[in-house]
Each structure stands twice: as structure tokens, then as C-alpha cells.
Amino acid sequence: MLLLTCPHCGLAVEETELSPGGEAHLKRFGPGSDEDAFEEYLFLRDNPKGPTLERWRHSYGCGKWFIAARDTATNRVFGTYPAQTGGPPDWIVKAMEAVR
Amino acid sequence: MKRYSVFAIAREAARYHDGWERAWRSPEPKRRYDVIIVGAGGHGLATAYYLGKNHGITNVAVMEKGWLGGGNTGRNTTIIRSNYLQDPSAAIYEKSRSLYETLSQELNYNVMFSPRGVLMLAQTHHEVRGYKRTAHANGLQGVRTEWVDPARVKELCPIMNIHGPRYPVLGGLWQSRGGTARHDAVAWGYARACSDMGMDIIQKCEVTGIDTDGGKVVAVETTRGRIECGQLAGIVAGHSSVLAEMAGFRLPLESVPLQALVSEPIKPCMDIVVMANTVHGYMSQSDKGEMVIGGGTDGYVGYTQRGSFHHIEETLRALVETFPMISRLKMLRQWGGIVDVTGDRSPILSKTPVEGMFLNCGWGTGGFKAIPGSGWAMAELMAKGHSPLTAEFGLERFREGRFIDESVAAGVAH
């Protein structure tokens, strides 16, 4: 079972308290976009075997969204940060690059 | 290839069983093949088999990074059924189920196909309507299923509690010619037949790169050197996205662990397969007496082949409610496989943006039942460039919005 620290309330919680939300930092496309853009946004995923950034919601806690950096091959967690950001902080990027 | 028969057993019994030959050869890879198939699981081997048998293409190599049938082929709950709602799904799954009927004779290898019947329980009024609709659709598709009432459910499966407190059984969708088969034997039987046709099955050989020239696939880089090919098929289930990345494109897939478990062996108590979607659990009894139980998928991408423990807890809670007598059973083993799930939960059998490269993936949580049909259709697609069975399962359907509205790969709400 995964243990993730919610960056909003600071609690280290088990995954049963959380809801997974899929790949993070997707670029959203709205009405009027072409088919390729919609396919990219709705369906195409990196689905990597290795470090990835993914969205989680602290459903049974503070209810807020955050992003976790995790290795999908080993379930090692590099860190978490609030969802209201454009990308991961430097220390997480460095930790992920170290295992790539 | 020496045929297996009662005479072969008698002959070998008379000479200390020293005459059995290896079921398939383990050759050194050649420099070039007409077709390279990546992934020696059921789907990959079946594709190779029907390429040879139906289309006469035998200069084929099947590459496998681990051992033959060691991925999801050896990790599923062996259920075979074809009671799907949509026509494209019913067509390919029923083709597959009908091929299973005679597969042992065709391959001269006992795959232990047991058409014991598959029962999908309806435990909400929504499910009742849904399954009645499916039964009608199956009637039009030529798939034999029927709607059965609770009394018949109890007759088919006496150990079931049909008056459960949360979700009483309101009926079920019954496919009498669905069932199970020996999953390893399916892979081994196809492998033996492929090897006999002169195809090379190369185990412990990982594909590490795909070489293209002018947008066309020309070779694969492997841990045993570069091997040229005319056509390439990626049939690697959970690792499809990894393979696609080597070829430079992305797929509408997410790979997640799906778990299963078996109990200690007990006396025969259940001679059909039961799937309960609402409470999320499915169970059958193996020939050894173990209760074979399918669990749920994780909600997030994972390549660990383990999965989260709480899904097992949820599955067992539901099954104990449905089958109270299993509450004291000890569980013997638990494992996970990495399943590749598409956006519409239907598979992809398709050409790709790279010319000469094909993909057979996205079977998600229900690929075992499809092995013969998938191989048959994929071989036709590769040999002829099109197949009626794969027409609706193209990669382009996600861009064009032509989804196959059938999110029931395993018949449970993953």
C-alpha cells in the first residue's frame, strides 16, 4: 500500500484515504480544438515504466488535489507538491533524474 | 514433431519415458525474419500460429524477454466467455470461444477447455435490464446466452447466497458454453505448433530498440543483437507503451496491476464460473480444487506485478457475502499482472504510424479468453492488410471518436 504525504495538510496517509487522478500536467483542450488535440488530451498517455508525475486527491482528508512523483516500476515515491503549480519543484526533478 | 497420443504414452511407458522430445526448439536467432512478433504470450504465439496455418507465413520469430507464457498468460483466472453487447466485441470473442472448442485436437495438445458455463449475476435492477439487453443482442449475434431467474441461479450454483442483505441476486446472464481452460497449456500448445512449422521462439531476448528507415520498420535491436524484419508486431500487453515509445509514438493506454488469488484446495463445490459485477468479484474452482478468484485493478499506473492489498480485501469481502461457505478458507497464493487498459476498455488490433509495425494490445482485464480469436484476426490483418474482425479495433478510433462502448473487459467494474 502506498503512503503519500499530502502537501496541503502535511499528513502521511495510506492510499485508501486518497483517490488517484491519472497523469499530471496534461494540457487541456476545449471546444474548437482539432481531433489530434482532443486525442492527446483525452487518451494519449506517457504510461512510463519509471518515474512519473500523477495527480492524487486527499478525498477522505482535506479534499484537495496534489501531485506525487513516483516510480511506476518500484513504487518508490520521490515527493509530493500542490496541484496548483505548472511543474514539479527542482528537488523532485533532480531525484527523478537520478534514477532515469 | 512426434504426436501425443495414447499410443505414444504406451510406447514411452515401455521404455522408461526416455523418448519424449522437447515441445519446442530454442534456436539461435537468425539475421532476418519476414515477421518478428514481440512477446511470446498467448496472443503473440497464437498470431504466429495462424500466420503460418492460415496464411503460409512461417519465416517468423517470436521474441520474449522473459520466459514463454510468463506474463499475463500465466497470471489470469482462465475464464472464457463471449457474452458481449456490441457486435465487434461479440464477433472477435465468439470467434475465440469457438476456436477454443476444438483447440486441443487442432494443436494436439490438451488445453483442458472446460465449457462448464459462465454465470454473470445481476444484483441491481440496472444490471437486470443490462443483461436482458445483452441476452437479446447475443441472440441476434448468434452467441448462445440466456437470462435466468434467481431459482435457476441457485440450482446452477447451490453454494451461493441469493438473499444477500446488500445485493440480493435478481437473476443472471448464463452462457452455457463459456468456461475455463488451462492457461499455460494454451501458450505451450501454440508454441509447440509454431516450432513445428519452423518458427523460432527466442526466449530471454529483450527488444531494446526499433530501427526504422523512412518511416518503415526495418529491424529490432535486442539483447542478442540486431535482427532485421519485414513486419513487426508488438503483442506485449502491459509493456505496449514502452515498446511504442521505442518506435516514437504514444498510445491511449494505462498499465495497471490486476490481482488474482487462489485458495487452498477443497472438495468440488462449484462446477460453473460466477462473476458478480456489482460487488466486484469472480470465482471458479480449478481442477485441483482451489477456488480461483479475480480481484480488482489499481487505480494508478504500475509495473510492479503486485498491486495494492486493499483490493484483495474488497474482493474477498464481496465474495464471502455471496458465498458464505468460503469464509473459513485460507488463501494459498496471490499475484498480479500488468494489464494495459484503453480509454474505451476495448482492445487495439491495428496498424501503427510506423509502416510495417502492428499492435495487438489493450486487452485490459480480459485477454485470456480472446487468445485464439485475437491471433486469428491479427494474422489476417498482418497477412492481408485488413481483417473484418479487427476493422473496428483500430488505433485511429480514439482520434475519430468511434469508441466501442463496452467497458466490461473482465465483466466487472474495473
Side-chain angles (χ1 to χ4, degrees):
Chain A
M1 184 169 290
L2 283 180
L3 286 175
L4 299 177
T5 302
C6 174
H8 300 289
C9 53
L11 296 172
V13 296
E14 295 180 356
E15 69 175 271
T16 46
E17 200 169 315
L18 305 163
S19 303
E23 191 175 314
H25 303 301
L26 291 178
K27 189 174 179 200
R28 283 170 170 68
F29 289 90
S33 306
D34 62 21
E35 288 179 346
D36 289 336
F38 269 125
E39 185 191 22
E40 174 107 6
Y41 163 42
L42 292 172
F43 297 110
L44 298 186
R45 296 291 178 265
D46 286 343
N47 194 23
K49 185 180 187 178
T52 190
L53 300 171
E54 64 196 356
R55 303 167 75 230
W56 288 85
R57 182 169 174 259
H58 193 183
S59 311
Y60 296 99
C62 66
K64 288 180 182 160
W65 285 95
F66 64 92
I67 292 168
R70 181 177 62 91
D71 190 320
T72 61
T74 61
N75 275 348
R76 179 181 162 193
V77 176
F78 303 104
T80 57
Y81 56 96
Q84 295 76 14
T85 47
D90 286 345
W91 63 275
I92 283 181
V93 175
K94 280 195 185 114
M96 286 169 72
E97 273 170 4
V99 300
R100 269 214 177 97
Chain B
M1 178 178 80
K2 288 183 188 162
R3 285 183 63 79
Y4 296 147
S5 68
V6 65
F7 304 109
I9 294 172
R11 186 185 65 229
E12 293 305 324
R15 58 176 188 187
Y16 302 101
H17 291 282
D18 62 1
W20 298 114
E21 58 184 16
R22 284 189 176 272
W24 55 85
R25 297 168 293 113
S26 293
E28 283 298 309
K30 292 191 271 188
R31 280 201 50 218
R32 186 183 190 286
Y33 293 92
D34 291 342
V35 175
I36 289 181
I37 291 168
V38 187
H43 288 266
L45 291 163
T47 301
Y49 174 75
Y50 292 111
L51 271 175
K53 179 172 174 275
N54 293 352
H55 306 284
I57 300 168
T58 55
N59 186 13
V60 176
V62 187
M63 322 287 292
E64 171 57 51
K65 74 171 175 180
W67 66 94
L68 190 155
N72 295 347
T73 302
R75 292 164 188 271
N76 57 76
T77 48
T78 78
I79 296 167
I80 295 163
R81 62 183 181 88
S82 60
N83 50 354
Y84 284 77
L85 176 65
Q86 305 291 347
D87 291 348
S89 315
I92 195 164
Y93 286 107
E94 176 59 15
K95 175 74 189 171
S96 195
R97 198 205 57 77
S98 65
L99 287 168
Y100 265 122
E101 294 257 8
T102 52
L103 197 59
S104 294
Q105 291 80 0
E106 179 170 345
L107 297 178
N108 181 231
Y109 202 98
N110 189 3
V111 303
M112 295 165 73
F113 176 59
S114 161
R116 60 185 67 181
V118 174
L119 180 66
M120 292 169 76
L121 297 183
Q123 291 174 289
T124 64
H125 288 287
H126 179 78
E127 269 184 317
V128 171
R129 286 195 293 272
Y131 285 148
K132 282 183 176 172
R133 184 185 174 202
T134 302
H136 292 314
N138 288 161
L140 294 171
Q141 292 151 346
V143 178
R144 207 173 74 197
T145 64
E146 61 177 309
W147 169 259
V148 292
D149 63 14
R152 176 82 173 125
V153 169
K154 186 71 180 174
E155 195 181 302
L156 286 165
C157 186
I159 66 168
M160 194 188 304
N161 172 22
I162 62 169
H163 302 296
R166 277 200 307 165
Y167 295 109
V169 174
L170 305 174
L173 181 65
W174 170 242
Q175 183 171 24
S176 58
R177 294 300 288 180
T180 61
R182 171 95 198 273
H183 50 5
D184 298 320
V186 173
W188 296 339
Y190 275 124
R192 177 164 167 266
C194 288
S195 184
D196 185 50
M197 284 189 280
M199 298 176 181
D200 289 354
I201 298 160
I202 300 157
Q203 302 182 72
K204 295 180 193 165
C205 179
E206 184 174 355
V207 170
T208 54
I210 295 171
D211 289 353
T212 56
D213 184 16
K216 187 179 183 324
V217 66
V218 290
V220 290
E221 304 287 345
T222 76
T223 47
R224 291 170 74 173
R226 184 175 189 271
I227 306 171
E228 293 174 15
C229 63
Q231 285 184 322
L232 177 69
I235 311 182
V236 295
H239 281 74
S240 295
S241 295
V242 178
L243 196 70
E245 193 191 356
M246 292 176 196
F249 58 93
R250 296 206 298 168
L251 290 173
L253 288 179
E254 287 185 303
S255 298
V256 292
L258 170 64
Q259 298 180 77
L261 57 163
V262 295
S263 74
E264 59 189 331
I266 54 174
K267 286 184 177 176
C269 64
M270 182 176 164
D271 59 0
I272 62 169
V273 181
V274 175
M275 318 185 78
N277 300 355
T278 299
V279 294
H280 195 153
Y282 45 103
M283 189 164 86
S284 62
Q285 188 168 22
S286 74
D287 294 350
K288 287 183 283 183
E290 302 157 332
M291 304 311 289
V292 183
I293 294 168
T297 54
D298 284 1
Y300 49 89
V301 171
Y303 287 81
T304 58
Q305 293 189 325
R306 279 207 300 274
S308 292
F309 188 74
H310 65 96
H311 290 297
I312 295 177
E313 197 180 351
E314 287 156 14
T315 297
L316 290 181
R317 195 165 55 211
L319 288 176
V320 167
E321 196 176 306
T322 314
F323 306 96
M325 65 160 274
I326 69 165
S327 66
R328 302 296 174 89
L329 273 186
K330 294 182 184 70
M331 291 299 144
L332 202 62
R333 295 188 302 278
Q334 166 269 336
W335 64 93
I338 314 164
V339 299
D340 42 333
V341 180
T342 59
D344 64 359
R345 302 297 189 270
S346 284
I348 296 168
L349 296 97
S350 181
K351 297 174 184 177
T352 69
V354 177
E355 197 188 331
M357 181 174 172
F358 297 78
L359 273 178
N360 181 349
C361 61
W363 290 97
T365 55
F368 173 72
K369 67 175 88 73
I371 284 173
S374 154
W376 180 288
M378 192 67 189
E380 191 172 28
L381 175 67
M382 293 180 71
K384 294 184 179 171
H386 58 88
S387 162
L389 288 172
T390 66
E392 304 294 322
F393 294 104
L395 199 49
E396 68 286 349
R397 74 175 187 269
F398 296 96
R399 182 163 44 80
E400 296 169 358
R402 287 187 298 101
F403 311 118
I404 298 168
D405 186 13
E406 184 105 72
S407 49
V408 287
V412 291
H414 287 303

